Amino acid sequence: AQSVTQPDIHITVSEGASLELRCNYSYGATPYLFWYVQSPGQGLQLLLKYFSGDTLVQGIKGFEAEFKRSQSSFNLRKPSVHWSDAAEYFCAVGGYNNNDMRFGAGTRLTVKP
Amino acid sequence: EPEVTQTPSHQVTQMGQEVILRCVPISNHLYFYWYRQILGQKVEFLVSFYNNEISEKSEIFDDQFSVERPDGSNFTLKIRSTKLEDSAMYFCASRTSGFTDTQYFGPGTRLTVL
């Protein structure tokens, strides 16, 4: 089955600084890739997704991610972080028909004032 | 905006008891999912459901678990005999028929097994 690795458990950035959250996937075919955000006590909200086409994907809240097949990566970026971005971020990969999405362990983002 | 709802928000039960977690998916969605998240751990896929049958399930989804769509709106997850390790947040999700469509998640039910 497909799998995802998020190497960073916890990242701290200053407000206004740029952000990059790493995600590496393992899947034998073309993956379907997602980034979700989870605020404390909340459900999961989709930030962006990649299925095919342009490898740079724009999402909500100013986030973007780049699919790099050669590196099996789908890193999430934001040029300028806001305090409200503090949350847990999950990368996920869908399988053959996108019917069994597998999540990474998550990266907790702390934003310093 | 339509959303997935889940009830109850928090369920406390004794070990060995049966629990049913309820979800109301978005009304025009056709695929339904259950995930769980043990405290501090990653979100884990349990099962997907389409056309009144299970389409995929993970190794976690053993005989203790079952899902059902008892009517046109509800989607339930039953745990027959709860164990301490079933304590987790359980998320329901749904999507339309297209495989590129987004899965929308509910707010979750926190299950505590004592």
Side-chain angles (χ1 to χ4, degrees):
Chain A
Q2 64 276 20
S3 66
V4 171
T5 302
Q6 293 181 249
D8 305 304
I9 297 171
H10 185 201
I11 283 184
T12 299
V13 300
S14 298
E15 190 168 17
S18 64
L19 170 71
E20 181 167 27
L21 302 183
R22 296 184 290 163
C23 171
N24 293 98
Y25 69 88
S26 174
Y27 186 58
T30 300
Y32 305 130
L33 296 161
F34 310 83
W35 275 99
Y36 280 85
V37 61
Q38 184 182 34
S39 297
Q42 304 294 311
L44 295 152
Q45 182 184 24
L46 181 73
L47 288 175
L48 46 79
K49 59 185 178 182
Y50 170 80
F51 282 89
S52 64
D54 193 345
T55 56
L56 186 62
V57 180
Q58 300 298 320
I60 62 171
K61 304 185 181 188
F63 286 93
E64 67 177 28
E66 186 171 12
F67 170 58
K68 292 186 177 180
R69 185 187 298 275
S70 62
Q71 298 175 21
S72 298
S73 69
F74 189 57
N75 295 348
L76 181 72
R77 300 194 293 249
K78 185 169 184 178
S80 178
V81 168
H82 188 261
W83 64 266
S84 60
D85 293 324
E88 187 95 17
Y89 291 80
F90 293 94
C91 181
V93 59
Y96 159 65
N97 56 4
N98 193 27
N99 225 14
D100 60 342
M101 197 158 55
R102 306 296 172 123
F103 285 79
T107 297
R108 184 160 60 92
L109 174 66
T110 298
V111 181
K112 292 190 304 186
Chain B
E1 184 176 323
E3 57 185 22
V4 177
T5 59
Q6 292 185 242
T7 55
S9 56
H10 189 191
Q11 172 104 39
V12 180
T13 189
Q14 296 291 325
M15 190 169 57
Q17 295 296 303
E18 175 184 286
V19 295
I20 296 176
L21 309 183
R22 291 185 164 77
C23 168
V24 178
I26 295 172
S27 64
N28 64 335
H29 285 189
L30 300 177
Y31 285 83
F32 314 113
Y33 305 85
W34 283 103
Y35 296 83
R36 78 172 185 193
Q37 184 180 29
I38 296 171
L39 187 64
Q41 298 187 25
K42 66 180 177 182
V43 176
E44 300 173 293
F45 168 75
L46 292 178
V47 66
S48 59
F49 190 86
Y50 171 72
N51 200 24
N52 280 320
E53 59 183 28
I54 290 172
S55 52
E56 305 275 354
K57 61 181 181 178
S58 73
E59 55 280 0
I60 302 168
F61 194 87
D62 61 21
D63 292 343
Q64 291 297 310
F65 292 90
S66 62
V67 290
E68 191 179 28
R69 188 153 163 82
D71 53 42
S73 59
N74 288 283
F75 179 51
T76 62
L77 174 70
K78 183 194 292 187
I79 308 175
R80 288 192 181 80
S81 178
T82 50
K83 309 185 191 81
L84 295 177
E85 54 264 37
D86 292 327
S87 295
M89 182 74 90
Y90 289 81
F91 292 105
C92 174
S94 69
R95 68 171 170 92
T96 58
S97 58
F99 71 90
T100 62
D101 294 333
T102 300
Q103 288 188 29
Y104 290 89
F105 283 75
T109 292
R110 177 161 299 285
L111 176 65
T112 301
V113 183
L114 302 176

